[in-house]
């Protein structure tokens, strides 16, 4: 099953064009949707999740017309929205049980088994009786995945799931996502380049509602691999370098400033070749329209 998005556009009543003739093919496996804040990621996720209408375009999930057959999509969908509100005074176990009823698991014994398996999978079994209000950010996000997985979804959407998690919680969460399986479509929407780099076999970069790049992250890196150069400069030279070169990043390393630039030919002037990563791909796509 594949998710195919064709020429999708959406303008909000305030005139903001959040999606601009966007087309994307999303295969099975983990798909990273990268873009800065305001790029249109949530608008796209909500439209796929049948929570809002598009002005133009089509979306199909296998044989299903997503924009028309909303009920059919919802049966196959697991969704972890950006602002996932929970019921603070309910335990994880009770709320999962409740959601399982809503998703149609009517047999009590079956529900108990499903809920137990999900609590174990998301490493929340030991805290299953604790109220959700007392959960850490990471625990809440793992609970979010547990509820999204109820009913064996074929399409799982997670919108900005690692924002606000500490590094250990983030790792635990991303590992959990990567274990979900290869037979489902998982869309991970994020502005954090590392989330995509570590997990996704396919990705897209969008900005201002427009698709800038689609494909395999490693291939995108390969394409610019020989065009990234580094040099140590003094801090007050940065402005000058920014005028002359396509400066991708600048960082202080033990008091000295290292800049990375993009240049297809050898820029000379003391620059050394350096490794390219997804950060460089992202920067060049967003700021320079290169890649
Ligand atoms: P992202 O998820 O990438 O941060 P969004 O899809 O949330 O991007 O937003 C895309 C653009 O649409 C932004 O400029 C945002 O301010 C605007 N926007 C989002 N939702 C609404 C809405 N309900 N009404 C008006 N403008 C909106």
């Amino acid at each position: 099953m594949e998710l195919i998005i064709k020429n999708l556009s959406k303008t909000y009543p305030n005139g903001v064009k959040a999606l601009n003739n966007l087309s994307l093919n999303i295969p099975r496996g983990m798909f990273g949707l990268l873009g800065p804040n305001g790029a249109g990621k949530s608008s796209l996720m909500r439209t796929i999740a049948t929570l809002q209408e598009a002005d133009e375009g089509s979306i199909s999930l296998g044989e299903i017309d997503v924009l028309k057959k909303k009920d059919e999509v919802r049966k196959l969908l697991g969704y972890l929205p950006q602002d996932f509100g929970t019921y603070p005074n309910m335990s994880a176990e009770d709320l999962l049980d409740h959601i399982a009823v809503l998703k149609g698991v009517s047999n009590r014994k079956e529900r108990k088994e499903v809920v137990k398996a999900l609590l174990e999978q998301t490493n929340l079994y030991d805290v299953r009786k604790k109220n959700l209000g007392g959960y850490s950010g990471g625990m809440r996000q793992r609970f979010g995945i547990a509820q999204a997985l109820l009913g064996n979804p074929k399409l799982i959407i997670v919108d900005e799931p690692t924002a606000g998690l500490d590094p250990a919680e983030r790792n635990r969460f991303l590992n959990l996502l990567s274990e979900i399986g290869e037979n489902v479509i998982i869309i991970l929407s994020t502005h954090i380049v590392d989330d995509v780099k570590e997990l996704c076999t396919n990705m897209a970069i969008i900005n201002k509602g427009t698709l800038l790049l689609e494909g395999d992250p490693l291939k995108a890196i390969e394409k610019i691999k020989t065009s990234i150069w580094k040099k140590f400069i003094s801090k007050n030279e940065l402005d000058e370098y920014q005028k002359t070169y396509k400066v991708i990043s600048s960082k202080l390393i033990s008091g000295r400033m290292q800049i990375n630039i993009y240049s297809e030919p050898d820029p000379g002037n003391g620059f050394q070749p350096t490794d390219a990563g997804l950060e460089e791909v992202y920067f060049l796509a967003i700021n320079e329209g290169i890649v």
Side-chain angles (χ1 to χ4, degrees), residues 12-14 16-19 35-44 46 52 82 159-160 189 206:
Y12 287 110
N14 62 0
V16 173
K17 199 169 180 84
L19 299 172
N37 284 329
K41 301 182 298 297
S42 290
S43 299
L44 179 60
R46 287 197 302 263
Q52 74 177 43
Q82 199 167 6
D159 197 356
E160 301 267 354
S189 153
I206 68 169

